[in-house]
Amino acid sequence: MTQELVPVLSQADIHERVKGLAERISDDYGPTGLIILGVLKGAFVFLADLVREISIPVRIEFIQVASYGAGMETSGEVKLIKGLEINLENRHVLVVEDIIDSGLTIAYLLDHLEKMRPKSVRVCTLIDKKGRREVDIPIDYVGHSVDSGFLVGYGLDYNEKYRGLPGVYHLKQ
Ligand code: IMP
Ligand code: MG
């Protein structure tokens, strides 16, 4: 089976998007800051770059969910693998995702987080894959939108491969 990697976002493209998002986030939240909640594993590269461009105080936490198993299709079933160790009550929380596809993962997460009574919850994603959305979730900060296709690189994987690529690619096979 041959796989082809077609460039979608270069390192320079990503840097520009990340800077723009970080500026908006810094302006929107201001000096009281926020909790950045990264969704493992895919968001780790994006989050690392994003927090270094944000100019207000941030606390960084991680949560891990799984919905995919191996392959390119969501199983539709979301599982919490690593929960939160802090109390979110009355805090401003920004969930940082690598990519939102069906929306099932983020819908599950938002539901889970709301139970902790945060002051606000917003969503930031590097990539909004709009074409296969099954639940309508408002996404506050979007780096780049695509309609479809399976993307890898910059944290995004296919069966745990390609996360270390510096750009984002469309995996064609
Ligand atoms: P959703 O629940 O269908 O929105 O899928 C969200 C999760 O599936 C993301 O956090 C990714 O981990 C994974 N995912 C969805 N689309 C892609 C893709 O194109 N490449 C790599 N991972 C993906
Ligand atoms: Mg993910």
Side-chain angles (χ1 to χ4, degrees):
M1 182 174 63
T2 58
Q3 292 185 332
E4 192 192 345
L5 294 173
V6 181
V8 174
L9 293 173
S10 68
Q11 268 180 288
D13 295 334
I14 294 171
H15 186 58
E16 197 183 304
R17 309 288 160 104
V18 168
K19 267 171 58 180
L21 291 171
E23 211 168 290
R24 278 183 53 209
I25 292 165
S26 304
D27 284 351
D28 289 353
Y29 287 89
T32 36
L34 72 159
I35 296 178
I36 298 255
L37 181 58
V39 185
L40 292 171
K41 298 174 200 166
F44 81 105
V45 180
F46 175 43
L47 183 143
D49 282 345
L50 189 67
V51 296
R52 283 179 287 179
E53 298 289 345
I54 289 178
S55 58
I56 57 172
V58 292
R59 173 170 178 158
I60 300 164
E61 297 291 335
F62 290 100
I63 196 164
Q64 186 168 12
V65 291
S67 60
Y68 263 52
M72 292 191 182
E73 293 286 321
T74 176
S75 65
E77 192 187 308
V78 185
K79 272 194 314 213
L80 189 66
I81 293 178
K82 179 205 171 298
L84 271 167
E85 284 133 42
I86 58 153
N87 189 355
L88 298 182
E89 191 167 345
N90 224 14
R91 311 291 295 271
H92 290 293
V93 180
L94 180 64
V95 182
V96 174
E97 259 285 25
D98 51 354
I99 185 163
I100 297 176
D101 183 12
S102 70
L104 292 169
T105 305
I106 197 71
Y108 169 90
L109 267 176
L110 293 178
D111 193 52
H112 179 75
L113 298 176
E114 286 299 345
K115 292 183 187 136
M116 300 179 203
R117 305 160 133 279
K119 195 173 232 167
S120 70
V121 182
R122 288 185 186 164
V123 177
C124 173
T125 187
L126 176 69
I127 293 160
D128 179 8
K129 187 157 58 171
K130 294 165 169 291
R132 298 196 311 176
R133 195 61 42 80
E134 287 176 36
V135 269
D136 190 25
I137 298 286
I139 309 173
D140 305 277
Y141 305 96
V142 174
H144 180 70
S145 293
V146 295
D147 185 56
S148 60
F150 198 83
L151 306 186
V152 295
Y154 196 71
L156 292 122
D157 76 305
Y158 172 61
N159 291 349
E160 297 301 326
K161 267 174 72 183
Y162 306 117
R163 290 196 199 276
L165 296 177
V168 174
Y169 297 83
H170 182 188
L171 181 69
K172 288 198 167 161
Q173 50 185 16

